[in-house]
Amino acid sequence: MKRSLALLVAATWLVVPVTPALAAEWTVEFVAVPTGVADLFEDQGRTIALTRSGVFFRIGAAPDGRVIVDRQGSYERPPGPRRADMLPDGLVALGAGEISEAYLVGPTSRYRHGVIGDAIEASGLRIQTNGGNILDYRLPTDSVLEDIVPRLHDVDGDGQDEIVVVRSYIDTGSAVAVFGLREGRLALIAEAAPIGRPSRWLNPVGVADFDGDGRAEIAVVKTPHIGGVLQLYEIEGGTLKDDHSVRGFSNHFIGSRDLFLSRVADIDGDGTVDIVLPSADRGSLRVVSFAGGRFKDLGETPLPARVQTRMLSIDEGTGAFAFGLADGALAVVRPRGTGKP
């Protein structure tokens, strides 16, 4: 009975799409959630929305494609794991390979930028191996890790995860840095050139073979608050070289601790992953491809309000995902024919 009620309520809240297709095969619809969506997060494989009034809803898809907005009653958000000397707002990244945990340590105020919520950043990176060893990498005083969570990916194709983080230099701004295990030590493997000015930041999008050449690229948005540039880097020796670059995007807003206002998925079905992320003003949703080494704009749709939260899956079978808007609405993106307005 509870499930049926959830479906009925979701159908009542669902607004008929008022925008064109995001890409040829995808549509964007909007769901009004009582008091508005404030945050979206994952909990044990479920996507949960926190409303502005503090109520939790599970967001999903029914077999017939309708959006489920199911109030969770006595649900409480589980606290994330905490570790000694960890960044106060940091998150622990969990891995299934040789690196089982990675997190930021050594809180410091030596770089008072404050773009991701406060002026406390990390002075080091710590990992735990699957054998239980704890290894640290500490930065010199010329830089910090201006980030919240390390990203575990196999960047160099050796079959083991590396760690991608944002390193910010006090005098020259942010750069992408890659750390990894080398001969039993946690080492800096490669780093891109910094932006070139202090208080200039970048936010990673993801790691994948975006151009189909068989090698992974790191995608970031440089200066996402001031004319953001979508930049792809590829590892080459001890450096990250520029691979592709295009202006006009964002995946963050000043003061937010949510760094995941983007999504990596094969939207056009060509076998090469694409990137979904907001326009520079976060007022439109864009899908872009670098397949074959060429930039292609697969689609753009205007939104009734700016992108505000991370983008999370609500249906792994169809690839449908959702995110919150600044007006509190829930935006649902899914292939055509999978939903019934």
Side-chain angles (χ1 to χ4, degrees):
M1 182 66 182
K2 182 178 180 181
R3 182 177 177 84
S4 298
L5 177 60
L7 290 174
L8 176 61
V9 172
T12 301
W13 292 338
L14 191 61
V15 178
V16 176
V18 295
T19 63
L22 176 62
E25 304 85 3
W26 292 71
T27 60
V28 185
E29 300 169 359
F30 305 102
V31 178
V33 179
T35 73
V37 173
D39 191 16
L40 211 62
F41 61 93
E42 289 181 323
D43 180 14
Q44 299 183 11
R46 301 180 301 165
T47 294
I48 305 293
L50 169 64
T51 69
R52 293 169 175 173
S53 60
V55 178
F56 294 96
F57 290 84
R58 179 175 68 90
I59 310 297
D64 66 359
R66 292 181 184 271
V67 179
I68 295 173
V69 183
D70 188 6
R71 183 167 178 158
Q72 295 299 284
S74 59
Y75 173 87
E76 293 184 6
R77 185 171 185 169
R82 301 302 304 168
R83 302 291 183 261
D85 196 33
M86 188 175 168
L87 197 66
D89 58 352
L91 303 173
V92 178
L94 302 177
E98 181 65 20
I99 299 174
S100 61
E101 289 188 0
Y103 50 96
L104 305 177
V105 295
T108 177
S109 60
R110 67 184 180 224
Y111 185 60
R112 302 192 64 81
H113 187 199
V115 74
I116 49 177
D118 59 34
I120 304 299
E121 311 302 344
S123 62
L125 172 67
R126 179 172 295 159
I127 67 167
Q128 179 175 305
T129 69
N130 60 14
N133 294 327
I134 303 294
L135 301 173
D136 277 18
Y137 187 99
R138 295 287 176 161
L139 299 179
T141 57
D142 67 345
S143 59
V144 299
L145 297 178
E146 194 175 11
D147 214 331
I148 288 177
V149 58
R151 299 151 189 85
L152 294 174
H153 294 278
D154 181 7
V155 177
D156 59 6
D158 66 351
Q160 294 293 329
D161 283 341
E162 283 76 44
I163 303 161
V164 177
V165 290
V166 179
R167 181 177 186 176
S168 292
Y169 289 87
I170 293 173
D171 294 330
T172 55
S174 296
V176 183
V178 180
F179 294 83
L181 278 171
R182 293 294 185 268
E183 299 179 351
R185 298 183 302 108
L186 180 58
L188 176 64
I189 295 172
E191 186 172 294
I195 291 173
R197 295 179 59 184
S199 299
R200 293 293 184 268
W201 184 69
L202 59 84
N203 188 24
V205 171
V207 180
D209 181 7
F210 292 107
D211 57 13
D213 66 355
R215 298 186 297 272
E217 292 86 32
I218 301 172
V220 308
V221 177
K222 296 169 67 173
T223 61
H225 317 120
I226 47 173
V229 176
L230 178 59
Q231 176 81 55
L232 268 58
Y233 294 101
E234 192 170 285
I235 194 165
E236 189 175 271
T239 63
L240 292 173
K241 68 180 184 68
D242 296 356
D243 206 18
H244 304 282
S245 179
V246 61
R247 184 175 296 276
F249 301 91
S250 181
N251 61 347
H252 184 261
F253 57 94
I254 293 175
S256 173
R257 286 184 166 88
D258 194 339
L259 308 185
F260 308 103
L261 278 63
S262 57
R263 189 163 182 82
V264 173
D266 182 7
I267 297 296
D268 60 3
D270 67 350
T272 301
V273 292
D274 309 305
I275 299 173
V276 184
L277 74 173
S279 58
D281 65 359
R282 305 192 341 268
S284 296
L285 193 65
R286 299 184 65 180
V287 181
V288 302
S289 169
F290 291 93
R294 296 181 301 276
F295 171 78
K296 183 179 180 181
D297 203 330
L298 298 180
E300 180 175 3
T301 188
L303 300 169
R306 292 182 177 183
V307 178
Q308 190 80 2
T309 77
R310 66 193 64 197
M311 301 178 185
L312 294 178
S313 172
I314 63 167
D315 187 349
E316 292 185 2
T318 66
F321 61 94
F323 56 94
L325 299 178
D327 65 357
L330 182 76
V332 177
V333 182
R334 56 188 172 186
R336 284 186 179 276
T338 60
K340 297 179 180 179

